[in-house]
Amino acid sequence: MALLFLVPRFLWHSFTRQGGLNIRRLVSTIKDKPDNEPGVTFAKKVFKSYLDSQTTLGGTICCGKRIRGFYLGYTFAYFTIKILYIINTLTQFFLLNAFLSFNFSAYGAAAINKLLTSDDDWFESPRFPRVTMCDFMIRHLGSNQHWYAIQCNLPINIYNEKIFIGIWIWLIVLTILNVISTVRWIISLTRRQCIATIKKYLKLSQQSVPSEKETLLSSTTTSSRSDAPLLKPPRYNELTDYMHVDGFLIFDLIAHNTDDIVAGQILEHLHQNCPQPRRDYNHNV
């Protein structure tokens, strides 16, 4: 059962190594050198090179083949893994049903309900009896053998009950969290939300630009603020079309696994170096 939780993770890392951009390595490079500029610079260049290559080749890799005009390779794989996690948690209930020889899917709900509403003893399942009949034999002198049946207590099953109730609650929580996470990621990759993300991180990254300019200009009294290089005006739609859905998915994964400052620097680099829009740029959501 534990191995089933590792299978989706293994499949995701295998795909990212073959899909053109190793996201895990990219995030590790940023984390290993959080205060080192080359680490962030490396991430900027690699991420932009990936987006440029997808634009040049006109598509992304899916199922081992490059499909022209298709920019959902990573997105398709990512949501497939999400669905596998949901299927995995639901499958665990059926496996435990077979292992425990009773309806485990309703076991936790019945046990918790009885705990909260009844003054009787704790819920006792057929799989974990606390009292049973034990048969044992007593030998007497000669070949006489006498079998006796007495009542036995099994206190270990008290703990087994609690362990499986904990497993039931944990599987329910994982299923709910996986469903919520999947829905949240779907919403985050819609065009409207992508534009909102661009506005958020561009605003965050550009807030630090004036302070850097002031530091550079502090040594020259004759220079004015207007002499500093100006940032390009925001081009939200062009950048959205340039990154496509896969680019936003990768960017969101980097942002969630690093910090907002690094994510803002990467998006600002893409914004400053975003090529002119072409007619064949189409967002896939």
Side-chain angles (χ1 to χ4, degrees), residues 20-58:
L21 181 64
N22 193 331
I23 304 175
R24 185 179 184 183
R25 179 186 174 189
L26 196 64
V27 172
S28 298
T29 302
I30 299 173
K31 287 185 175 181
D32 291 342
K33 302 177 181 180
D35 300 325
N36 194 349
E37 181 64 25
V40 180
T41 303
F42 172 79
K44 294 178 183 177
K45 293 181 179 179
V46 170
F47 189 26
K48 187 177 185 303
S49 297
Y50 169 78
L51 296 177
D52 291 339
S53 65
Q54 301 306 302
T55 302
T56 303
L57 297 175

Side-chain angles (χ1 to χ4, degrees), residues 54-55 58-60 67 69-73 75 244-246 280 282 284:
Q54 301 306 302
T55 302
T60 187
I67 304 177
F70 183 79
Y71 298 95
L72 294 170
T75 306
H244 300 287
V245 181
D246 271 3
D280 58 342
N282 293 315
N284 302 90

Side-chain angles (χ1 to χ4, degrees), residues 26-189:
L26 196 64
V27 172
S28 298
T29 302
I30 299 173
K31 287 185 175 181
D32 291 342
K33 302 177 181 180
D35 300 325
N36 194 349
E37 181 64 25
V40 180
T41 303
F42 172 79
K44 294 178 183 177
K45 293 181 179 179
V46 170
F47 189 26
K48 187 177 185 303
S49 297
Y50 169 78
L51 296 177
D52 291 339
S53 65
Q54 301 306 302
T55 302
T56 303
L57 297 175
T60 187
I61 297 176
C62 181
C63 302
K65 296 182 180 181
R66 187 174 297 278
I67 304 177
R68 187 168 184 81
F70 183 79
Y71 298 95
L72 294 170
Y74 275 92
T75 306
F76 178 78
Y78 187 75
F79 283 104
T80 300
I81 300 302
K82 286 284 188 182
I83 294 174
L84 286 179
Y85 275 118
I86 297 174
I87 294 175
N88 176 43
T89 54
L90 295 177
T91 304
Q92 300 288 339
F93 285 103
F94 295 99
L95 294 177
L96 288 171
N97 285 342
F99 174 72
L100 298 176
S101 301
F102 69 93
N103 187 13
F104 179 77
S105 303
Y107 169 69
I112 295 175
N113 180 66
K114 188 168 184 179
L115 173 66
L116 299 177
T117 60
S118 177
D119 295 331
D120 297 336
D121 194 9
W122 177 261
F123 179 83
E124 182 178 356
S125 70
R127 187 67 180 182
F128 307 112
R130 298 183 187 177
V131 179
T132 186
M133 300 302 294
C134 301
D135 295 329
F136 67 96
M137 181 184 63
I138 297 180
R139 292 176 179 238
H140 293 279
L141 186 62
S143 59
N144 296 324
Q145 297 177 355
H146 299 275
W147 286 91
Y148 295 90
I150 64 173
Q151 195 175 54
C152 300
N153 291 326
L154 303 175
I156 188 64
N157 280 345
I158 298 176
Y159 301 100
N160 290 334
E161 287 178 347
K162 310 305 184 293
I163 291 173
F164 279 96
I165 289 175
I167 293 175
W168 184 89
I169 295 175
W170 180 239
L171 290 176
I172 291 293
V173 171
L174 286 180
T175 303
I176 295 174
L177 292 179
N178 285 328
V179 172
I180 293 175
S181 176
T182 302
V183 174
R184 188 185 65 82
W185 275 100
I186 292 175
I187 296 174
S188 68
L189 294 178

Side-chain angles (χ1 to χ4, degrees), residues 259-276:
D259 56 69
D260 290 345
I261 301 300
V262 172
Q265 293 177 1
I266 294 175
L267 194 60
E268 177 63 30
H269 176 74
L270 296 177
H271 174 252
Q272 294 298 319
N273 298 277
C274 177
Q276 293 297 323

